[in-house]
Amino acid sequence: MAGQAGVQVRMPSIEKEWRKLGGDDMWLVLRTRTGSLDDFAAAAAEANALAEEGVWAEAPSHAPQGYAVLLTHCADRDLLHQWIAEFTHRLESRGLTGALQGAPQVKHPPYLSSELPPQPAAYLVYTVDLAAMTADPYRTSHWHVPAAATARITAAADRWARLPGAEMRLRHNIYVVAVDLDDATEPLARSLHATGMAGLDFMDDASQRATHVSFTPGGMGLYQDTIDEAGSWQPMVERLRAALTASPADTDQGFIRPAGRYSIGIDTADVVQPFPGVQGYHMRYNGHLLDRYVPDANGIQVLRTAHLERAHDLSGWEVTDLGEGRHLVQARDLTPWYGQPLPDPDVLARARADFAGALLTEDVIAANPTPW
């Protein structure tokens, strides 16, 4: 169908994506050279207010040739059509023209294949509102980091991830769409508060370099950069250390360890290199312990004072005060940790002995049950 003032609705492409996603959340893109993001967002808000209950639009953002918006709760086909008709009318009333269509999910380039050798990644555990998490019956699916801290975290992630001239992709929950934003801080934050999950990628096919940021429920973050300068591991680790220390006051712990390419969350932090006493999922479901226990020893970590107090002996480590009761703790020699795909086994064993008392184990979890 077509709007009277120039918005062409390409319903076949919309229904194709709708069927492909099984009626779950889907992205719409308006390909246009008219109007502004404010006009587009206002039209979506008006359609939300006037359309029948069921379909909802959120996270309006720039797209490479126009604007994109996420539709949620769109399982009912008739309600989807009604919302789109109302949205089209509101776009036209604001003078926008162009083509409204479904946005296909983008594919990852081959240099991010999970079949490639693992690379170091930075894992972050941000400080959550434990009272809000305790009161939330859907706690394991929500973000729970306070709004002000989330704004700082997403702003730092945007600055860290940017690669000049690279293609930009934004993930809302599990859906990825190509966008072109000067600042992804607010879209990332909106996605986190709405769904508990978000991500940001920059991909440069010419250099085969990509930066990848993934946020998951419970205040978890993951950062990766495929930078390769003459085969040296140091630039990559320097970049990841910058991610670890970007917002220390909002961080309960962080560490750099091997991971598969384009990993999503902390649930898989033990896949390449197993934890000694727990599995990755234990971190997601025991957030109340992560401000004082760590899942493993790592060559570079950001820890709280409570972690240091529990550790057995850190006299052989470099400890730098980051303020707000946070500390950068790193090995004096990082080559055995990051100069090869996996840490040197003897070095890792000695490090685990150093951190004895601060390591998360199933006995610790049993002795400190969740408050909910």
Side-chain angles (χ1 to χ4, degrees), residues 59-354:
S61 63
H62 290 279
Q65 299 179 22
Y67 311 106
V69 68
L70 179 73
L71 291 187
T72 64
H73 309 297
C74 52
D76 188 298
R77 183 175 180 273
D78 290 339
L79 291 180
L80 173 66
H81 279 244
Q82 291 174 20
W83 189 94
I84 289 172
E86 189 61 52
F87 183 45
T88 301
H89 172 68
R90 295 294 163 176
L91 289 171
E92 293 169 345
S93 70
R94 291 177 173 273
L96 278 79
T97 62
L100 186 67
Q101 61 191 62
Q105 192 161 359
V106 295
K107 296 182 179 180
H108 303 314
Y111 52 87
L112 288 181
S113 170
S114 59
E115 296 181 0
L116 292 172
Q119 291 183 321
Y123 291 89
L124 275 295
V125 178
Y126 296 109
T127 304
V128 299
D129 182 338
L130 192 57
M133 178 180 281
T134 301
D136 182 3
Y138 303 101
R139 63 187 65 85
T140 59
S141 300
H142 292 162
W143 176 239
H144 291 303
V145 177
T150 298
R152 292 190 293 269
I153 291 164
T154 55
D158 177 90
R159 292 192 299 269
W160 181 88
R162 286 194 173 267
L163 297 177
E167 179 183 352
M168 180 181 184
R169 298 179 179 182
L170 184 70
R171 179 168 58 82
H172 179 98
N173 199 321
I174 61 172
Y175 196 78
V176 182
V177 63
V179 295
D180 183 12
L181 300 173
D182 293 331
D183 186 351
T185 299
E186 290 188 7
L188 283 171
R190 283 198 301 268
S191 294
L192 287 173
H193 293 310
T195 75
M197 296 179 66
L200 179 65
D201 303 322
F202 286 86
M203 301 181 184
D204 182 4
D205 290 343
S207 64
Q208 294 198 349
R209 180 183 174 187
T211 55
H212 169 58
V213 179
S214 178
F215 297 116
T216 52
M220 309 292 187
L222 180 148
Y223 296 71
Q224 292 180 298
D225 187 337
T226 65
I227 184 172
D228 183 2
E229 296 185 2
S232 173
W233 55 268
Q234 285 94 339
M236 182 182 297
V237 170
E238 287 291 334
R239 285 275 293 150
L240 297 176
R241 178 163 40 205
L244 282 189
T245 58
S247 189
D250 301 314
T251 302
D252 273 351
Q253 65 172 277
F255 46 83
I256 299 174
R257 65 188 286 113
R261 307 286 180 101
Y262 207 81
S263 295
I264 296 298
I266 211 160
D267 288 9
T268 60
D270 63 330
V271 171
V272 175
Q273 177 189 330
F275 294 149
V278 293
Q279 298 183 51
Y281 72 86
H282 285 108
M283 296 195 69
R284 179 175 178 183
Y285 295 110
N286 293 280
H288 64 298
L289 298 176
L290 301 183
D291 61 352
R292 54 197 186 277
Y293 290 99
V294 296
D296 201 356
N298 295 279
I300 301 176
Q301 301 171 95
V302 169
L303 303 175
R304 299 187 67 143
T305 301
H307 295 112
L308 306 192
E309 292 172 345
R310 290 180 178 275
H312 172 64
D313 180 9
L314 298 183
S315 60
W317 296 73
E318 293 182 358
V319 181
T320 304
D321 186 1
L322 299 177
E324 302 288 339
R326 274 72 169 182
H327 313 268
L328 175 64
V329 181
Q330 55 186 8
R332 299 188 187 279
D333 182 4
L334 295 175
T335 302
W337 289 94
Y338 306 114
Q340 59 283 317
L342 293 177
D344 178 272
D346 293 336
V347 169
L348 178 58
R350 288 194 296 271
R352 286 171 173 171
D354 290 342

